[in-house]
């Protein structure tokens, strides 16, 4: 069975605000065709202040779809519509102490229902611009459509490119076959053929690098991964190098979270590829208390 | 409250007498069966006995037709890849749309390698069209692989007849009988089946042991080459403890065959009728008149299977579902979709699979537990009104789909 947090289970077993809301004046109905889940979000909005005075939901879906719906209604009650629209799907997941990667789409559905309800209230038509595909990278919850679009938009041609642009494949690496298949397909459309990179970069044997070259390569890897962490409101910095141990500090959104370990694993692997030797990446926490997950905007 | 296990098509508990039979092979009987000395020799004898126990359960003509493997999946892969290797000029395969991933994923992979795979369709009850099948048989086909019993619905396929048809056209026939062995009587010597897969953990033996039955004379190419174990057809030192266990489990299955088809079947029917009598908008999927005695798969419309399982689990009841969310994929079960079950029902399918360890009290507890769970979830469902499905559910609730 899925590893659901206590909070997810609690919201599933005792959903808040479930059932029809007769005096609703903002209704959003969205579904995810691939997963079959569907959600109707009903809001009662005070026309004067545009404040949400009541919210309720009806959901056809799995445990985390029901929990995400329940959480969403709790989160947005009392907010103005503009405030509510700032609630991201990540916020819904964070509120529930995280969702399994396969289930992140449940939080996306919640966010979309919210957009649809607000559009409905404002007399606009809401259109979904997000498409869902089969989950490829389980470490970072990234699906095939996202990878394919990114490969196309940026003319990517290697697995490493995909890791750098989307993070997919940067964790346990088990999905590289799936990523290669997507690359092969898109490259074929461009009239090129997929060439697997040389079994990771040509590396110097252990101990052959000069100290300067070694530090340079370590810094290079850090610089390479920073953009993708920053996109997730995080960051990484080099603190110290002591033989085979490299100390880094993780910052921002995800310091101490479960994703940190995965990210570190991925970065450590890249370090090893770049250096051609075994190294260990150790996070140090100077500023953030250990285990604290900083909620953005909180 | 004792937990109730109704997920025996996923895996079964190891029979206590089977555990007892295998334990000495971790301790004093640790020898390598290939060794000449007495340590090895005794183990060799035990393997021989196990081979005969398996042979008896499936009615094979010779005990040398039994090849021990590491699991059902390995047996399936070995069978198909062997047929392709042995007949390189034949570039087509025939299988069905409702096979286990052990067959389907391999076939999809083979398509990428340039093979042509014909997937036989099923009707609303999960039945094959044998005319469609007959038309596909030709000397271009390397192998037909059709499951004996479906793991989700329990529906049985007429594999004996299909093997005859293949044989008449000179085409090899394999069946994934992982769910059937031990639950339905099988007599291979009077059939034209060339290869058959077994998995130990579905019949009260441990996980990680399987069998490929290979008819004497059928052309074969091993998957694993190496030592001369299994007469060179599956190299690798034998998993002796598990092989002994599988032998013992086959003997147990043989002596419980009648029980399985009377008592277990009666419990299954009681469960099914008990639930359907109380829950509206629910129906049995697959072919109720032609299925395994232990399996019942019920679609509960307008709710989702994982949510049902979570609530059942809270009451200590273990079952499984064909919903997308429990499979780790985004699609509801390919078996339900192949049968044309609508999404709103396919997502709400729950499979109850029994074993000889289940009791009437357990079944009654499940019958009492299910209706309130279904009602509770339907209260949350946008497709459900006060006392039943809303009118024109498809129009009344029409979400914008991503
Ligand atoms: C029909 C069928 N085939 C093959 C398998 C795979 O068997 P194993 O788990 O031993 O590899 C299963 C079990 O999940 C099954 O139900």
């Amino acid at each position: 069975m899925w590893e659901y947090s206590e909070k997810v289970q609690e919201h599933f077993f005792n959903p808040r605000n479930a059932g029809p809301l007769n005096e609703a004046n903002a209704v959003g109905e969205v579904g995810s065709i691939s997963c079959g889940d569907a959600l109707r979000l009903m809001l009662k909005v005070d026309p004067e202040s545009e404040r949400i005075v009541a919210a309720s939901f009806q959901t056809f879906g799995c445990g985390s779809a029901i929990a995400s719906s329940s959480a969403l209604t709790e989160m947005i009650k009392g907010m103005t519509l503009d405030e509510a629209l700032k609630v991201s799907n990540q916020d819904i997941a964070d509120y529930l102490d995280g969702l399994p990667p396969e289930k992140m789409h449940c939080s996306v559905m919640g966010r979309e229902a919210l957009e649809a309800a607000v559009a409905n209230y404002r007399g606009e038509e809401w259109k979904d611009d997000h498409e869902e595909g089969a989950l490829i990278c389980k470490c970072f919850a990234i699906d095939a459509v996202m990878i394919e679009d990114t490969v196309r938009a940026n003319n990517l041609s290697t697995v490493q490119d995909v890791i750098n642009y989307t993070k997919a494949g940067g964790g346990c690496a088990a999905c590289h076959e799936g990523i290669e298949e997507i690359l092969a397909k898109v490259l074929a459309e461009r009239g090129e053929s997929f060439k697997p990179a040389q079994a990771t970069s040509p590396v110097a044997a252990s101990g052959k690098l000069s100290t300067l070259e070694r530090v340079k390569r370590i810094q290079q890897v850090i610089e390479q991964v920073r953009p993708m962490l920053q996109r997730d409101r995080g960051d990484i910095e080099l603190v110290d190098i002591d033989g085979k141990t490299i100390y880094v500090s993780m910052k921002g959104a995800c310091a101490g979270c479960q994703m940190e370990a995965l990210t570190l694993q991925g970065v450590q692997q890249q370090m090893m590829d770049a250096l051609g030797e075994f190294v260990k990446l150790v996070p140090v926490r100077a500023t953030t208390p250990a285990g604290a997950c900083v909620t953005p905007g909180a | 409250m004792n937990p109730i296990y109704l997920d025996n098509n996923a895996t079964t508990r190891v029979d206590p007498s089977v555990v007892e039979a295998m334990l000495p092979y971790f301790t004093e009987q640790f020898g390598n069966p290939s060794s000449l000395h007495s340590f090895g020799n005794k183990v060799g004898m035990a393997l021989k006995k196990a081979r005969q126990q398996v042979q008896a359960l499936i009615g094979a003509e010779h005990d040398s037709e039994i090849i021990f493997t590491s699991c059902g999946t390995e047996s399936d892969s070995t069978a198909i890849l062997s047929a392709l290797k042995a007949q390189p000029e034949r570039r087509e395969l025939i299988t069905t749309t409702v096979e286990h991933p052990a067959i389907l994923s391999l076939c999809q992979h083979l398509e990428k390698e340039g093979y042509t795979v014909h997937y036989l369709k099923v009707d609303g009850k999960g039945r094959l069209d044998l005319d469609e099948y007959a038309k596909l048989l030709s000397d271009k086909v390397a192998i037909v692989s059709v499951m004996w019993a479906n793991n989700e619905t329990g529906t049985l396929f007429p594999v004996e007849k299909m093997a005859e048809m293949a044989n008449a056209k000179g085409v090899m026939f394999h069946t994934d009988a992982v769910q059937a062995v031990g639950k339905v009587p099988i007599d291979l010597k009077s059939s034209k089946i060339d290869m058959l897969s077994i998995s130990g953990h579905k019949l009260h033996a441990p996980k990680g042991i399987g069998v490929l039955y290979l008819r004497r004379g059928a052309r074969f190419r091993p998957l694993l080459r190496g030592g001369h174990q299994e007469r060179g057809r599956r190299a690798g030192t034998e998993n002796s403890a598990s092989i002994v266990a599988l032998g013992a489990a086959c003997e147990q299955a043989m002596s419980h065959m009648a029980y399985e088809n009377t008592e277990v079947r009666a419990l299954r029917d009681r469960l099914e009728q008990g639930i359907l009598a109380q829950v509206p908008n629910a129906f049995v999927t697959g072919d109720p008149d032609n299925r395994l005695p232990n399996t019942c798969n019920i679609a509960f419309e307008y709710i989702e299977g994982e949510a049902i399982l979570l609530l059942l689990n809270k009451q200590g009841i273990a079952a499984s579902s064909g919903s997308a969310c429990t499979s780790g994929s985004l699609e509801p079960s390919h078996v339900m979709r192949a049968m044309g079950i609508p999404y709103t029902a396919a997502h709400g399918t729950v499979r109850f699979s029994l074993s000889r360890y289940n009791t009437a009290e357990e079944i009654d507890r499940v019958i009492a537990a299910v209706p309130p769970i279904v009602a509770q979830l339907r209260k949350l469902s946008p497709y459900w009104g006060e006392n039943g499905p809303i009118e024109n559910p498809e129009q009344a609730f029409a979400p914008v789909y991503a």
Side-chain angles (χ1 to χ4, degrees), chain B residues 280-302:
Chain B
N281 296 87
F283 60 91
V284 174
T285 70
D287 186 0
D289 302 324
N290 185 30
R291 59 178 160 159
L292 293 173
N294 78 318
T295 308
C296 109
N297 190 310
I298 302 181
F300 297 100
E301 289 184 281
Y302 308 118

PDB file of all heavy atoms in Angstrom, chain B residues 280-302:
ATOM      1  N   PRO B 280     -26.440  -1.786  -4.206  1.00  0.00           N
ATOM      2  CA  PRO B 280     -26.931  -1.506  -5.558  1.00  0.00           C
ATOM      3  C   PRO B 280     -25.788  -1.047  -6.455  1.00  0.00           C
ATOM      4  O   PRO B 280     -24.711  -0.691  -5.959  1.00  0.00           O
ATOM      5  CB  PRO B 280     -27.923  -0.364  -5.342  1.00  0.00           C
ATOM      6  CG  PRO B 280     -27.442   0.327  -4.106  1.00  0.00           C
ATOM      7  CD  PRO B 280     -26.797  -0.726  -3.247  1.00  0.00           C
ATOM      8  N   ASN B 281     -26.008  -1.044  -7.755  1.00  0.00           N
ATOM      9  CA  ASN B 281     -25.015  -0.580  -8.715  1.00  0.00           C
ATOM     10  C   ASN B 281     -23.661  -1.243  -8.518  1.00  0.00           C
ATOM     11  O   ASN B 281     -22.624  -0.587  -8.440  1.00  0.00           O
ATOM     12  CB  ASN B 281     -24.851   0.948  -8.653  1.00  0.00           C
ATOM     13  CG  ASN B 281     -26.114   1.656  -9.063  1.00  0.00           C
ATOM     14  OD1 ASN B 281     -26.990   1.883  -8.225  1.00  0.00           O
ATOM     15  ND2 ASN B 281     -26.247   1.952 -10.338  1.00  0.00           N
ATOM     16  N   ALA B 282     -23.713  -2.570  -8.389  1.00  0.00           N
ATOM     17  CA  ALA B 282     -22.480  -3.346  -8.294  1.00  0.00           C
ATOM     18  C   ALA B 282     -22.674  -4.589  -9.149  1.00  0.00           C
ATOM     19  O   ALA B 282     -23.783  -5.108  -9.245  1.00  0.00           O
ATOM     20  CB  ALA B 282     -22.207  -3.736  -6.853  1.00  0.00           C
ATOM     21  N   PHE B 283     -21.625  -5.031  -9.823  1.00  0.00           N
ATOM     22  CA  PHE B 283     -21.757  -6.228 -10.656  1.00  0.00           C
ATOM     23  C   PHE B 283     -20.451  -7.004 -10.722  1.00  0.00           C
ATOM     24  O   PHE B 283     -19.374  -6.445 -10.476  1.00  0.00           O
ATOM     25  CB  PHE B 283     -22.237  -5.864 -12.070  1.00  0.00           C
ATOM     26  CG  PHE B 283     -21.322  -4.924 -12.811  1.00  0.00           C
ATOM     27  CD1 PHE B 283     -20.296  -5.408 -13.615  1.00  0.00           C
ATOM     28  CD2 PHE B 283     -21.497  -3.539 -12.706  1.00  0.00           C
ATOM     29  CE1 PHE B 283     -19.454  -4.538 -14.300  1.00  0.00           C
ATOM     30  CE2 PHE B 283     -20.655  -2.665 -13.391  1.00  0.00           C
ATOM     31  CZ  PHE B 283     -19.634  -3.170 -14.186  1.00  0.00           C
ATOM     32  N   VAL B 284     -20.585  -8.295 -11.036  1.00  0.00           N
ATOM     33  CA  VAL B 284     -19.415  -9.165 -11.137  1.00  0.00           C
ATOM     34  C   VAL B 284     -18.774  -8.962 -12.505  1.00  0.00           C
ATOM     35  O   VAL B 284     -19.467  -8.926 -13.519  1.00  0.00           O
ATOM     36  CB  VAL B 284     -19.834 -10.638 -10.970  1.00  0.00           C
ATOM     37  CG1 VAL B 284     -18.647 -11.568 -11.213  1.00  0.00           C
ATOM     38  CG2 VAL B 284     -20.416 -10.863  -9.582  1.00  0.00           C
ATOM     39  N   THR B 285     -17.467  -8.841 -12.546  1.00  0.00           N
ATOM     40  CA  THR B 285     -16.779  -8.725 -13.828  1.00  0.00           C
ATOM     41  C   THR B 285     -16.211 -10.077 -14.235  1.00  0.00           C
ATOM     42  O   THR B 285     -15.990 -10.939 -13.400  1.00  0.00           O
ATOM     43  CB  THR B 285     -15.627  -7.708 -13.780  1.00  0.00           C
ATOM     44  OG1 THR B 285     -14.589  -8.250 -12.964  1.00  0.00           O
ATOM     45  CG2 THR B 285     -16.074  -6.378 -13.213  1.00  0.00           C
ATOM     46  N   GLY B 286     -15.976 -10.241 -15.540  1.00  0.00           N
ATOM     47  CA  GLY B 286     -15.476 -11.511 -16.050  1.00  0.00           C
ATOM     48  C   GLY B 286     -16.637 -12.446 -16.342  1.00  0.00           C
ATOM     49  O   GLY B 286     -17.779 -12.021 -16.467  1.00  0.00           O
ATOM     50  N   ASP B 287     -16.327 -13.713 -16.447  1.00  0.00           N
ATOM     51  CA  ASP B 287     -17.318 -14.710 -16.826  1.00  0.00           C
ATOM     52  C   ASP B 287     -17.691 -15.540 -15.598  1.00  0.00           C
ATOM     53  O   ASP B 287     -17.015 -16.497 -15.254  1.00  0.00           O
ATOM     54  CB  ASP B 287     -16.719 -15.612 -17.915  1.00  0.00           C
ATOM     55  CG  ASP B 287     -17.744 -16.588 -18.459  1.00  0.00           C
ATOM     56  OD1 ASP B 287     -18.905 -16.557 -17.986  1.00  0.00           O
ATOM     57  OD2 ASP B 287     -17.383 -17.385 -19.341  1.00  0.00           O
ATOM     58  N   PRO B 288     -18.808 -15.189 -14.927  1.00  0.00           N
ATOM     59  CA  PRO B 288     -19.143 -15.842 -13.656  1.00  0.00           C
ATOM     60  C   PRO B 288     -19.330 -17.353 -13.797  1.00  0.00           C
ATOM     61  O   PRO B 288     -19.139 -18.093 -12.826  1.00  0.00           O
ATOM     62  CB  PRO B 288     -20.456 -15.179 -13.236  1.00  0.00           C
ATOM     63  CG  PRO B 288     -20.614 -13.991 -14.098  1.00  0.00           C
ATOM     64  CD  PRO B 288     -19.801 -14.202 -15.327  1.00  0.00           C
ATOM     65  N   ASP B 289     -19.698 -17.810 -15.000  1.00  0.00           N
ATOM     66  CA  ASP B 289     -19.976 -19.236 -15.150  1.00  0.00           C
ATOM     67  C   ASP B 289     -18.740 -20.055 -15.460  1.00  0.00           C
ATOM     68  O   ASP B 289     -18.817 -21.274 -15.553  1.00  0.00           O
ATOM     69  CB  ASP B 289     -20.995 -19.437 -16.287  1.00  0.00           C
ATOM     70  CG  ASP B 289     -22.261 -18.675 -16.011  1.00  0.00           C
ATOM     71  OD1 ASP B 289     -22.650 -18.607 -14.819  1.00  0.00           O
ATOM     72  OD2 ASP B 289     -22.847 -18.104 -16.956  1.00  0.00           O
ATOM     73  N   ASN B 290     -17.636 -19.392 -15.659  1.00  0.00           N
ATOM     74  CA  ASN B 290     -16.460 -20.124 -16.097  1.00  0.00           C
ATOM     75  C   ASN B 290     -15.218 -19.461 -15.523  1.00  0.00           C
ATOM     76  O   ASN B 290     -14.513 -18.721 -16.194  1.00  0.00           O
ATOM     77  CB  ASN B 290     -16.417 -20.114 -17.638  1.00  0.00           C
ATOM     78  CG  ASN B 290     -15.302 -20.961 -18.175  1.00  0.00           C
ATOM     79  OD1 ASN B 290     -14.907 -21.952 -17.558  1.00  0.00           O
ATOM     80  ND2 ASN B 290     -14.759 -20.564 -19.307  1.00  0.00           N
ATOM     81  N   ARG B 291     -14.979 -19.715 -14.236  1.00  0.00           N
ATOM     82  CA  ARG B 291     -13.856 -19.022 -13.595  1.00  0.00           C
ATOM     83  C   ARG B 291     -13.300 -19.855 -12.452  1.00  0.00           C
ATOM     84  O   ARG B 291     -13.886 -20.866 -12.047  1.00  0.00           O
ATOM     85  CB  ARG B 291     -14.293 -17.652 -13.094  1.00  0.00           C
ATOM     86  CG  ARG B 291     -15.411 -17.743 -12.096  1.00  0.00           C
ATOM     87  CD  ARG B 291     -15.825 -16.389 -11.545  1.00  0.00           C
ATOM     88  NE  ARG B 291     -17.173 -16.509 -10.977  1.00  0.00           N
ATOM     89  CZ  ARG B 291     -17.686 -15.682 -10.094  1.00  0.00           C
ATOM     90  NH1 ARG B 291     -17.008 -14.648  -9.684  1.00  0.00           N
ATOM     91  NH2 ARG B 291     -18.905 -15.874  -9.619  1.00  0.00           N
ATOM     92  N   LEU B 292     -12.186 -19.391 -11.917  1.00  0.00           N
ATOM     93  CA  LEU B 292     -11.552 -20.054 -10.781  1.00  0.00           C
ATOM     94  C   LEU B 292     -12.527 -20.112  -9.617  1.00  0.00           C
ATOM     95  O   LEU B 292     -13.316 -19.186  -9.419  1.00  0.00           O
ATOM     96  CB  LEU B 292     -10.310 -19.266 -10.345  1.00  0.00           C
ATOM     97  CG  LEU B 292      -9.136 -19.238 -11.312  1.00  0.00           C
ATOM     98  CD1 LEU B 292      -8.070 -18.274 -10.791  1.00  0.00           C
ATOM     99  CD2 LEU B 292      -8.555 -20.643 -11.461  1.00  0.00           C
ATOM    100  N   PRO B 293     -12.456 -21.169  -8.812  1.00  0.00           N
ATOM    101  CA  PRO B 293     -13.409 -21.288  -7.704  1.00  0.00           C
ATOM    102  C   PRO B 293     -13.168 -20.285  -6.572  1.00  0.00           C
ATOM    103  O   PRO B 293     -14.040 -20.083  -5.734  1.00  0.00           O
ATOM    104  CB  PRO B 293     -13.172 -22.720  -7.200  1.00  0.00           C
ATOM    105  CG  PRO B 293     -11.805 -23.086  -7.651  1.00  0.00           C
ATOM    106  CD  PRO B 293     -11.595 -22.354  -8.948  1.00  0.00           C
ATOM    107  N   ASN B 294     -11.982 -19.652  -6.554  1.00  0.00           N
ATOM    108  CA  ASN B 294     -11.652 -18.824  -5.386  1.00  0.00           C
ATOM    109  C   ASN B 294     -11.793 -17.335  -5.630  1.00  0.00           C
ATOM    110  O   ASN B 294     -11.587 -16.545  -4.730  1.00  0.00           O
ATOM    111  CB  ASN B 294     -10.200 -19.082  -4.966  1.00  0.00           C
ATOM    112  CG  ASN B 294      -9.224 -18.354  -5.881  1.00  0.00           C
ATOM    113  OD1 ASN B 294      -9.400 -18.331  -7.098  1.00  0.00           O
ATOM    114  ND2 ASN B 294      -8.225 -17.739  -5.291  1.00  0.00           N
ATOM    115  N   THR B 295     -12.083 -16.934  -6.891  1.00  0.00           N
ATOM    116  CA  THR B 295     -11.961 -15.523  -7.248  1.00  0.00           C
ATOM    117  C   THR B 295     -13.313 -14.889  -7.504  1.00  0.00           C
ATOM    118  O   THR B 295     -14.153 -15.475  -8.186  1.00  0.00           O
ATOM    119  CB  THR B 295     -11.113 -15.375  -8.528  1.00  0.00           C
ATOM    120  OG1 THR B 295      -9.893 -16.082  -8.352  1.00  0.00           O
ATOM    121  CG2 THR B 295     -10.810 -13.913  -8.826  1.00  0.00           C
ATOM    122  N   CYS B 296     -13.511 -13.691  -6.969  1.00  0.00           N
ATOM    123  CA  CYS B 296     -14.651 -12.909  -7.396  1.00  0.00           C
ATOM    124  C   CYS B 296     -14.227 -11.467  -7.491  1.00  0.00           C
ATOM    125  O   CYS B 296     -13.516 -10.950  -6.645  1.00  0.00           O
ATOM    126  CB  CYS B 296     -15.838 -13.154  -6.480  1.00  0.00           C
ATOM    127  SG  CYS B 296     -16.318 -11.872  -5.400  1.00  0.00           S
ATOM    128  N   ASN B 297     -14.593 -10.850  -8.587  1.00  0.00           N
ATOM    129  CA  ASN B 297     -14.196  -9.474  -8.839  1.00  0.00           C
ATOM    130  C   ASN B 297     -15.461  -8.654  -9.033  1.00  0.00           C
ATOM    131  O   ASN B 297     -16.235  -8.893  -9.946  1.00  0.00           O
ATOM    132  CB  ASN B 297     -13.306  -9.412 -10.089  1.00  0.00           C
ATOM    133  CG  ASN B 297     -12.664  -8.054 -10.249  1.00  0.00           C
ATOM    134  OD1 ASN B 297     -13.347  -7.026 -10.193  1.00  0.00           O
ATOM    135  ND2 ASN B 297     -11.365  -8.031 -10.436  1.00  0.00           N
ATOM    136  N   ILE B 298     -15.668  -7.705  -8.138  1.00  0.00           N
ATOM    137  CA  ILE B 298     -16.904  -6.923  -8.166  1.00  0.00           C
ATOM    138  C   ILE B 298     -16.599  -5.467  -8.485  1.00  0.00           C
ATOM    139  O   ILE B 298     -15.679  -4.884  -7.903  1.00  0.00           O
ATOM    140  CB  ILE B 298     -17.641  -7.001  -6.809  1.00  0.00           C
ATOM    141  CG1 ILE B 298     -17.949  -8.462  -6.466  1.00  0.00           C
ATOM    142  CG2 ILE B 298     -18.925  -6.174  -6.836  1.00  0.00           C
ATOM    143  CD1 ILE B 298     -18.688  -8.642  -5.153  1.00  0.00           C
ATOM    144  N   ALA B 299     -17.355  -4.905  -9.425  1.00  0.00           N
ATOM    145  CA  ALA B 299     -17.222  -3.482  -9.734  1.00  0.00           C
ATOM    146  C   ALA B 299     -18.280  -2.721  -8.945  1.00  0.00           C
ATOM    147  O   ALA B 299     -19.463  -3.020  -9.060  1.00  0.00           O
ATOM    148  CB  ALA B 299     -17.405  -3.247 -11.227  1.00  0.00           C
ATOM    149  N   PHE B 300     -17.826  -1.772  -8.142  1.00  0.00           N
ATOM    150  CA  PHE B 300     -18.736  -0.891  -7.417  1.00  0.00           C
ATOM    151  C   PHE B 300     -18.753   0.431  -8.173  1.00  0.00           C
ATOM    152  O   PHE B 300     -17.758   1.157  -8.198  1.00  0.00           O
ATOM    153  CB  PHE B 300     -18.262  -0.681  -5.977  1.00  0.00           C
ATOM    154  CG  PHE B 300     -18.235  -1.954  -5.168  1.00  0.00           C
ATOM    155  CD1 PHE B 300     -17.040  -2.638  -4.972  1.00  0.00           C
ATOM    156  CD2 PHE B 300     -19.398  -2.479  -4.624  1.00  0.00           C
ATOM    157  CE1 PHE B 300     -17.013  -3.820  -4.234  1.00  0.00           C
ATOM    158  CE2 PHE B 300     -19.373  -3.657  -3.887  1.00  0.00           C
ATOM    159  CZ  PHE B 300     -18.181  -4.326  -3.698  1.00  0.00           C
ATOM    160  N   GLU B 301     -19.889   0.740  -8.791  1.00  0.00           N
ATOM    161  CA  GLU B 301     -19.921   1.919  -9.655  1.00  0.00           C
ATOM    162  C   GLU B 301     -19.829   3.214  -8.858  1.00  0.00           C
ATOM    163  O   GLU B 301     -20.311   3.310  -7.744  1.00  0.00           O
ATOM    164  CB  GLU B 301     -21.227   1.928 -10.464  1.00  0.00           C
ATOM    165  CG  GLU B 301     -21.259   0.852 -11.530  1.00  0.00           C
ATOM    166  CD  GLU B 301     -22.528   0.963 -12.354  1.00  0.00           C
ATOM    167  OE1 GLU B 301     -23.582   0.506 -11.875  1.00  0.00           O
ATOM    168  OE2 GLU B 301     -22.452   1.536 -13.449  1.00  0.00           O
ATOM    169  N   TYR B 302     -19.198   4.209  -9.488  1.00  0.00           N
ATOM    170  CA  TYR B 302     -19.133   5.602  -9.023  1.00  0.00           C
ATOM    171  C   TYR B 302     -18.236   5.830  -7.816  1.00  0.00           C
ATOM    172  O   TYR B 302     -18.241   6.910  -7.239  1.00  0.00           O
ATOM    173  CB  TYR B 302     -20.542   6.168  -8.761  1.00  0.00           C
ATOM    174  CG  TYR B 302     -21.452   5.977  -9.939  1.00  0.00           C
ATOM    175  CD1 TYR B 302     -22.611   5.201  -9.843  1.00  0.00           C
ATOM    176  CD2 TYR B 302     -21.122   6.537 -11.175  1.00  0.00           C
ATOM    177  CE1 TYR B 302     -23.421   4.999 -10.949  1.00  0.00           C
ATOM    178  CE2 TYR B 302     -21.927   6.334 -12.275  1.00  0.00           C
ATOM    179  CZ  TYR B 302     -23.067   5.571 -12.168  1.00  0.00           C
ATOM    180  OH  TYR B 302     -23.864   5.366 -13.262  1.00  0.00           O
TER     181      TYR B 302
END
